[in-house]
Amino acid sequence: MSRVLIHFAHPAIHKSRVNRQMAEAARGLADVTFHDLYETYPDFLIDVPREQELLLGHDVVVFQHPFYWYGTPSIMKEWIDLVLEYGFAYGPGGNRLKGKRWLQAITTGGPESAYDEAGHNRFTVRQLLAPIEQTATLCNMTFLEPFVAYETLRLEHHLEIPAIAARYRQTLLALQGAAP
Amino acid sequence: MKHDVLIQAIIYLLAMIAVVPISKRLGLGAVLGYLISGALLGPSGAGLIDGGESGASHLSELGVIMMLFLIGIEVSPRLLWQMRGPLFGLGGLQVAGTTLIFGALAVATGSPVPTAWAIGMILSLSSTAIVLQTLAERGFSKSPAGERSFAILLFQDIAVIPMLAVFPLLAPGKAEAAGRPGWQQGLIVLGAIVLLIASGRYLVRPLFRQLARLNLRETFTAAALLLVLATTALMTRVGLSPALGAFLAGVVLADSEFRHQIEADLEPFKGLLLGLFFISVGSGIDLAIPVSRPFAVASIVSCLVVLKGALVFGLGKVFKMKTADAFLLGASLAQGGEFAFVLLGIAADQGILRGPNAQLLTSSVALSMAVAPLVIAAAIRFGLPLLQAKGAERSPDLVEDKDSAALVVGIGRFGQVIVRLLRANGFRTTVLDYDGEQVDVMSRFGFKTYFGDGARPEVLRAAGIEKVGILVLAIDDQDNAVKITESVRAEHPHVKIFARAFDRVHAYKLLNAGAQSAVIETGGSAVDLGSEVLHELGFSALRSYRQGAWFRRHNNRVIRELAPLYGNTERAVFVRESRQRSEMLETLLNQEAGRGREHEDRGWDSGPYA
């Protein structure tokens, strides 16, 4: 059994549809730690020791957020900048996160076809996540194939969004079930 | 028969004190207790108090007058407009329908038509006190049935006014004719009403504002009483009933900023006098009647309960309520009301009803009120589970004047900011302040403010503390703030309290008294200024800001941690507050002396991989 930690970052949850249902699905799972970054740190004053302790206590680290301008909402960048300290996450003696798994779980406005060399956004999601993938790699973590929900703007509320939430839930359960 | 006023007063008061706890224990409510004790003590019982026309009964009529005044003062035109659907629709149809049904029954059993009208109207009224109290006790005040009961009962209270006006017209030979032609009479009445409204706006409100400025409580109370009695006297002079006068006086003051204070001042009087009223009504009940004509009484009571309940249930369904809700609504209103006694008395006096029949109906109404709590309880216990569909959703809520998100006590410098912040985000607040001048200023700038002393529980209640979940305490007076926190936690535990604290010691007291949050009024602003100084000393803006923010966060944490040690009352007895404050400062400085005080963001250090 792996211990799963979800960092949720959505600055305007009251306007969210897909992320909100995904979050509900995640919150409903037993033994999964759901950590809402904007809710905990509305002033961006991230408690670094506490965050590091959380990381140490889990095997799988998930980052769930909408894909803003091909990246993360700002608090996630703040989190990465402050929490992954030299000597903790990387550098000499910085192997505390070694072997843990990293999953990016994102929602995009555009369809999958747009995220392609020939498409509107010119790069695939995996390519656009390169900085994050490299961050994880530098910390000796395993960067998993990201969970992506495309085309959220177009989705039918009653039919397709629950399906995405269910798929997300399955993904989390699978992560939980695997050995650390 | 005892005529000594002192002895009578003692007996009345003893009855009130002795009876209410017992009847509440038995689940009967205070009103019934008064009626029963009146009946037991009155001429047909132990004969300890005079029935009917004694000095006590005149005094007790004041209770009814007060009640109507307080009803009037609750009825603001805006509230009426919002509730117009259930109020006039459901309420109107209920009163009209019940009047017709029982009127028809009365005619069928041999009454003359005017009498039948009177009987129909009398029986259409339900008991505001019993219904609302019973529903509240069982937790159903906010249910669809509870809210619509309130609307219907409110309409009934209003409907009493035209009923009182109509009764003299039903009397044989127009017993109360004032000797003037009808149109002249009508003009005089209209003139009196206009005079009342005009003096209300240009005389009464400014007068009250002046009194409020003087901050003299007793004078304020006296003025409120004077208002009620004077308008009542005016109305009786022109031939209207005193009750109508009191109601109109209340309406004149309904939208004023003094509403809550007046309500709070008069509430104790009203309570006492109403109790007196019910006792004296009870003493007028002839106990021989239910005993001697059990069949008649029983059939009237069951007709009343069943037919009225069924009619209301039917109306509920017509107004698209769910079956279970309509059922509870019907069961809740299936009885006679307090006003029936008033109207029956008037009807008997004016010859509309013969004495024995009035007595019969009085006993029947009283009995129906006695069983009402039981009927409602049975409906909730047995009826609802049967009728509720599985997983049924609530029917849509009524729109009421309940859109206050918070009650803010104190609208000085501190409270103003909070109210403005809430308002900017679309939240309405009810605001209370006890400084007449502040109230004035705020009113001029468009805030809905009430004048009242938040330290008095009845003022808070009048301002609707039971309907909001949040109390913001932004007053100056430290001791009052703590007292209010304690009493609200005790009496309204569902209310979360956000309090302004003068300093650390005060914050401790508030937290220990149960406030959800106590923010020191200087904490934030001092840090802001301090951050500006850091900036001036060369820190970048971000650094100045963050250092300030982290410092404040640390400070708050320390305060919460030290709360259990400080600010508790026993310690305060032995250690002077000023000593506490200096002790605390020492502790803080010591804690901060050793380690590096600056908050570090090491992640932003340049490292080998940057």
Side-chain angles (χ1 to χ4, degrees):
Chain A
M1 280 290 284
S2 295
R3 299 161 298 173
V4 177
L5 168 65
I6 303 178
H7 294 95
F8 178 64
H10 199 303
I13 191 67
H14 55 283
K15 297 193 206 171
S16 159
R17 296 183 313 143
V18 182
N19 259 291
R20 187 139 46 119
Q21 287 204 31
M22 283 170 63
E24 270 170 40
R27 276 203 183 92
L29 292 175
D31 295 326
V32 164
T33 309
F34 191 86
H35 183 31
D36 187 333
L37 289 176
Y38 277 108
E39 186 71 14
T40 314
Y41 305 115
D43 47 12
F44 276 58
L45 299 181
I46 295 185
D47 186 341
V48 173
R50 178 187 170 201
E51 291 300 315
Q52 291 177 343
E53 212 181 292
L54 266 178
L55 286 172
L56 292 176
H58 292 80
D59 310 301
V60 181
V61 185
V62 181
F63 298 88
Q64 180 196 338
H65 58 86
F67 208 35
Y68 281 172
W69 279 108
Y70 311 118
T72 64
S74 47
I75 201 169
M76 257 217 66
K77 185 66 167 61
E78 184 90 347
W79 185 96
I80 289 175
D81 288 349
L82 287 178
V83 175
L84 303 178
E85 279 178 343
Y86 179 77
F88 170 78
Y90 72 105
N95 60 351
R96 312 297 303 278
L97 302 178
K98 181 170 172 153
K100 296 185 193 287
R101 279 158 287 156
W102 180 305
L103 174 72
Q104 212 74 9
I106 64 173
T107 61
T108 74
E112 187 164 1
S113 53
Y115 286 94
D116 183 79
E117 219 179 272
H120 192 70
N121 293 314
R122 299 207 300 128
F123 299 95
T124 65
V125 163
R126 188 81 189 239
Q127 285 171 327
L128 291 165
L129 287 176
I132 296 184
E133 179 164 359
Q134 179 55 23
T135 303
T137 307
L138 191 69
C139 298
N140 287 306
M141 295 173 73
T142 312
F143 187 77
L144 302 173
E145 181 68 30
F147 175 97
V148 189
Y150 292 100
E151 245 180 322
T152 58
L153 299 174
R154 191 202 52 80
L155 290 179
E156 280 299 315
H157 188 93
H158 297 294
L159 304 168
E160 289 154 303
I161 299 185
I164 292 178
R167 182 164 65 95
Y168 182 51
R169 195 167 175 272
Q170 282 308 109
T171 309
L172 293 173
L173 284 172
L175 285 171
Q176 205 178 31
Chain B
M1 289 284 202
K2 312 275 197 284
H3 296 280
D4 191 28
V5 170
L6 202 53
I7 305 287
Q8 290 274 292
I10 290 176
I11 295 177
Y12 270 102
L13 290 171
L14 271 176
M16 288 178 75
I17 297 174
V19 157
V20 175
I22 297 178
S23 73
K24 288 228 156 142
R25 262 304 187 79
L26 295 175
L28 296 177
V31 174
L32 227 28
Y34 291 137
L35 286 174
I36 294 174
S37 59
L40 291 175
L41 290 172
S44 66
L48 283 172
I49 55 182
D50 300 336
E53 287 297 309
S54 67
S57 82
H58 287 303
L59 191 60
S60 69
E61 272 166 28
L62 275 183
V64 178
I65 288 174
M66 294 266 168
M67 177 160 80
L68 275 179
F69 175 76
L70 289 172
I71 288 173
I73 212 173
E74 281 286 337
V75 174
S76 76
R78 187 171 57 86
L79 175 62
L80 277 184
W81 185 250
Q82 276 181 339
M83 290 174 71
R84 64 191 183 280
L87 191 64
F88 294 108
L90 199 51
L93 282 175
Q94 182 268 321
V95 171
T98 319
T99 304
L100 286 172
I101 290 185
F102 286 109
L105 264 180
V107 169
T109 50
S111 299
V113 171
T115 309
W117 274 113
I119 293 179
M121 284 190 272
I122 289 172
L123 294 180
S124 69
L125 304 173
S126 304
S127 170
T128 307
I130 291 184
V131 173
L132 294 182
Q133 174 140 333
T134 311
L135 286 179
E137 278 166 12
R138 317 259 167 199
F140 276 80
S141 304
K142 312 250 178 111
S143 69
E147 294 180 340
R148 279 164 181 79
S149 295
F150 177 75
I152 294 179
L153 289 164
L154 185 58
F155 182 82
Q156 288 177 358
D157 287 338
I158 297 175
V160 170
I161 312 299
M163 283 184 197
L164 287 171
V166 161
F167 265 41
L169 300 174
L170 297 172
K174 308 271 179 104
E176 282 291 307
R180 295 194 194 94
W183 63 270
Q184 236 181 42
Q185 181 72 5
L187 267 180
I188 292 179
V189 169
L190 203 58
I193 293 180
V194 167
L195 177 66
L196 183 61
I197 295 179
S199 61
R201 181 157 306 187
Y202 299 111
L203 203 65
V204 172
R205 284 209 212 177
L207 174 67
F208 273 78
R209 238 172 250 139
Q210 284 303 318
L211 287 174
R213 274 220 193 88
L214 292 174
N215 263 327
L216 292 172
R217 297 267 287 273
E218 317 77 48
T219 322
F220 201 85
T221 311
L225 278 173
L226 178 63
L227 175 69
V228 179
L229 297 177
T231 42
T232 306
L234 173 67
M235 289 299 147
T236 18
R237 291 290 299 193
V238 298
L240 285 179
S241 70
L244 180 58
F247 178 76
L248 285 176
V251 171
V252 161
L253 284 176
D255 260 337
S256 78
E257 57 266 40
F258 310 106
R259 191 179 113 195
H260 293 304
Q261 188 66 31
I262 294 179
E263 282 173 336
D265 282 342
L266 293 181
E267 200 72 33
F269 288 105
K270 169 197 136 184
L272 256 183
L273 292 171
L274 262 188
L276 259 188
F277 171 73
F278 284 122
I279 292 180
S280 62
V281 165
S283 70
I285 293 180
D286 190 346
L287 281 177
I289 296 196
V291 171
S292 64
R293 303 177 63 182
F295 180 69
V297 171
S299 49
I300 295 180
V301 174
S302 24
C303 270
L304 180 56
V305 173
V306 171
L307 285 178
K308 195 167 180 185
L311 171 71
V312 175
F313 171 74
L315 283 175
K317 291 302 290 174
V318 164
F319 275 74
K320 307 213 174 76
M321 291 174 78
K322 307 236 173 236
T323 306
D325 295 326
F327 178 75
L328 182 57
L329 183 65
S332 300
L333 294 172
Q335 79 277 148
E338 301 91 12
F339 259 113
F341 301 128
V342 178
L343 291 173
L344 281 168
I346 296 179
D349 279 343
Q350 296 185 344
I352 306 174
L353 269 178
R354 290 206 319 274
N357 287 340
Q359 282 285 344
L360 184 61
L361 283 173
T362 305
S363 310
S364 308
V365 167
L367 267 176
S368 75
M369 286 167 73
V371 303
L374 304 170
V375 168
I376 298 177
I380 293 177
R381 187 104 97 77
F382 303 116
L384 290 188
L386 279 178
L387 293 169
Q388 256 161 1
K390 266 245 192 99
E393 290 166 42
R394 285 184 47 156
S395 18
D397 289 342
L398 280 186
V399 169
E400 290 174 319
D401 195 24
K402 269 194 212 176
D403 45 0
S404 259
L407 172 59
V408 178
V409 180
I411 197 169
R413 304 157 302 145
F414 199 89
Q416 285 166 31
V417 177
I418 297 184
V419 171
R420 284 167 52 219
L421 173 63
L422 289 174
R423 193 164 85 156
N425 282 281
F427 291 105
R428 290 185 56 118
T429 50
T430 303
V431 185
L432 258 172
D433 199 280
Y434 197 43
D435 182 338
E437 279 190 28
Q438 276 289 14
V439 163
D440 239 8
V441 171
M442 284 293 113
S443 297
R444 269 191 276 130
F445 280 88
F447 284 85
K448 190 77 171 138
T449 313
Y450 293 105
F451 171 80
D453 180 1
R456 294 176 53 188
E458 60 272 21
V459 174
L460 285 181
R461 227 173 282 131
I465 194 168
E466 273 145 9
K467 296 188 208 148
V468 300
I470 296 176
L471 171 68
V472 178
L473 260 183
I475 58 178
D476 269 339
D477 187 325
Q478 297 179 50
D479 289 330
N480 262 347
V482 177
K483 274 199 206 109
I484 295 176
T485 305
E486 283 166 349
S487 81
V488 169
R489 286 306 294 160
E491 293 176 33
H492 309 279
H494 68 283
V495 173
K496 306 218 166 115
I497 304 176
F498 292 78
R500 156 194 184 188
F502 177 76
D503 64 1
R504 270 176 243 120
V505 173
H506 192 214
Y508 295 153
K509 290 186 183 160
L510 290 165
L511 289 171
N512 289 336
Q516 162 130 336
S517 180
V519 172
I520 301 174
E521 61 190 32
T522 51
S525 18
V527 167
D528 285 347
L529 194 61
S531 296
E532 284 185 26
V533 175
L534 281 178
H535 194 199
E536 184 65 30
L537 290 170
F539 278 21
S540 73
L542 179 66
R543 194 173 169 203
S544 315
Y545 166 74
R546 279 179 79 93
Q547 291 311 317
W550 272 112
F551 184 80
R552 187 159 95 200
R553 164 122 14 135
H554 153 77
N555 221 20
N556 289 341
R557 193 178 326 136
V558 167
I559 287 171
R560 284 207 117 89
E561 283 166 10
L562 291 180
L565 300 176
Y566 288 94
N568 80 53
T569 40
E570 290 132 44
R571 216 195 127 97
V573 170
F574 298 112
V575 180
R576 255 176 35 233
E577 267 188 30
S578 53
R579 172 99 183 278
Q580 281 190 36
R581 289 195 180 95
S582 47
E583 268 184 24
M584 217 165 315
L585 181 56
E586 258 189 78
T587 312
L588 285 172
L589 288 174
N590 270 323
Q591 278 187 359
E592 289 158 8
R595 50 190 193 78
R597 283 149 254 136
E598 177 177 342
H599 170 83
E600 285 198 66
D601 292 310
R602 289 198 295 267
W604 290 337
D605 291 350
S606 315
Y609 295 97

